Amino acid sequence: MKILVVGSGGREHAIIRKLKESPKVDKIYAAPGNGGISRDAECVDINAMDKEKMVEFSKNNKIDLVFVAPDDPLAAGMVDTLTENGIRAFGPCANAAIIESSKVFSKNLMKKYNIPTASYEVFNDPHKVMDYIEAQGKYPVVIKADGLALGKGVIIAQNHDEAQDAVKEIMEDKKFGDSGNNVVVEEFLTGPEVSVLAFTDGKTLKPMVSSKDHKRAYDNDEGLNTGGMGTISPNPYYTPEIAEICRKTIFEPTVAAMNSENRTFKGCLYFGLMITPDGPKVIEYNARFGDPETQVVLPRLKTDFVDIINAVIDGTLNKLDIEWSDEATACVVMASGGYPQAYKKGLEITGLDENGQVSGATVYHAGTKYTDGKFYTNGGRVLGVTASGKTLDEALEKAYSAVEKISFDGVHYRKDIGRTK
Ligand code: AMP
Ligand code: GLY
């Protein structure tokens, strides 16, 4: 098979690495890919949002399968366009990807189908939001832009002034463009967070092994929210009992709800959960593999990834047993100094071999460039250094000792991955 993977981050690198293990795969392309990915696949210079060029390339190169990994092309209907052109594609259609791209949609869906989530109200008028928040007088309060915002559209306001600033930025200054036309104001929940990715063909849902993301920039969960600074799998808070409650009250009801709305979801459905004192609740849905969750989940997959992808597309997931390793995995993200705010690019990365790897770990490249045999930084999150072990401690120890071999100017990483709630 010839496979084209759409996207350019650490998640896509992990997807490509797993696809390469399949005996069914002859050739992998990435559009547009990155420096590290270029050592494992052929990178083609097509923007991840360019539907027309993706179709043209797939036809010209007789691509058997296109794997659409990022949120924005999914929301923009990349899978719809590919499919209409007779090209096999993995990922939800736009009418199902809305479960991630509109928080108003997903909150209303959960309310309608009784899926546990934080209580909320939706507003399209900045004055009415503040009237509501003031009348409630409860802080912290959670304010979310409706649409996609690179994981930065959620503000937890500790007081009136912070709430007012957030509403102004989202709704008046339009920091996230039209994504801020509507906002969701939500009850603040507490408890450990768990990420569960699940394969679904719209009928059967098969959860993958659990994971935990560390979203804040600095140790002890301080600093701004980021795309994710590190992950571990399994998540120690996700017990078999919690998993069973999630299956019954969240996972299966979500698949059924999407079918009832004529928005059958096929692909990877991501459940961002919080284990609250009242039980597990949905914080967010994503219509795709998480980044950097994929970097710790896929290495544990033992079943041929291509077989699973085919079963999802063909609607035969019920016939497939999916096997996972019992090992623990840990991923430490090495980021550019300053991330998630302004940072420099183009700094030389030292310590990597010619394939962008170090011994003792797998290095998934997120924001890198490869020129004349050297790797350079090219994004906020640069590398996801991932290792596995019999225990979480062993995985973390291996990942951190690999991290110590790699460096670039201003490098920043968290020292407490796997150690916080
Ligand atoms: P989201 O992009 O919706 O996953 O939100 C980003 C982060 O904000 C989550 O991972 C949580 O840590 C936090 N968050 C979102 N909603 C809530 C909530 N209702 N209560 C407490 N924390 C929340
Ligand atoms: N790591 C969170 C996400 O992929 O949205």
Side-chain angles (χ1 to χ4, degrees), residues 9 109 113 118 138 153 208 261 294 389 398 415:
L109 184 86
Y113 294 93
K138 266 209 254 171
M208 302 181 213
E261 297 292 312
T294 308
K398 282 196 205 163
K415 315 278 186 305

Side-chain angles (χ1 to χ4, degrees), residues 103 118 142 144 154 156 186-189 193 215 225 274 283-284:
K103 291 202 190 279
V142 184
K144 298 185 173 183
V154 174
I156 298 174
E186 230 178 62
E187 162 201 18
F188 178 75
L189 300 176
E193 287 183 56
K215 288 210 168 93
N225 256 327
M274 196 174 267
I283 292 284
E284 66 161 349

Side-chain angles (χ1 to χ4, degrees), residues 156 189-195 211-213 215 225 235 237-238 270 272-275 283-284 421:
I156 298 174
L189 300 176
T190 55
E193 287 183 56
V194 181
S195 304
S211 56
K212 175 176 166 45
D213 190 9
K215 288 210 168 93
N225 256 327
N235 185 317
Y237 296 97
Y238 193 67
Y270 167 129
L273 307 168
M274 196 174 267
I275 315 300
I283 292 284
E284 66 161 349
K421 258 195 168 178

Side-chain angles (χ1 to χ4, degrees), residues 88 201 203 266 307-317:
R88 217 168 144 76
D201 59 4
K203 294 175 285 192
K266 293 174 81 155
D307 289 344
I308 305 175
I309 293 169
N310 282 331
V312 167
I313 298 174
D314 297 334
T316 56
L317 199 54

Side-chain angles (χ1 to χ4, degrees), residues 173-247:
D173 306 345
K174 297 268 181 217
K175 191 171 173 191
F176 309 110
D178 286 347
S179 285
N181 290 351
N182 291 292
V183 298
V184 173
V185 177
E186 230 178 62
E187 162 201 18
F188 178 75
L189 300 176
T190 55
E193 287 183 56
V194 181
S195 304
V196 179
L197 318 180
F199 293 109
T200 176
D201 59 4
K203 294 175 285 192
T204 304
L205 175 135
K206 301 223 167 171
M208 302 181 213
V209 288
S210 65
S211 56
K212 175 176 166 45
D213 190 9
H214 297 68
K215 288 210 168 93
R216 299 294 200 98
Y218 300 115
D219 284 12
N220 301 315
D221 289 328
E222 283 168 16
L224 294 172
N225 256 327
T226 69
M229 292 299 293
T231 35
I232 54 165
S233 176
N235 185 317
Y237 296 97
Y238 193 67
T239 61
E241 294 73 37
I242 299 276
E244 183 55 17
I245 298 172
C246 291
R247 189 184 63 76

Side-chain angles (χ1 to χ4, degrees), residues 367-382:
T368 69
K369 231 177 143 161
Y370 182 70
T371 317
D372 297 332
K374 288 183 177 168
F375 292 94
Y376 297 89
T377 66
N378 194 36
R381 290 188 293 176
V382 177

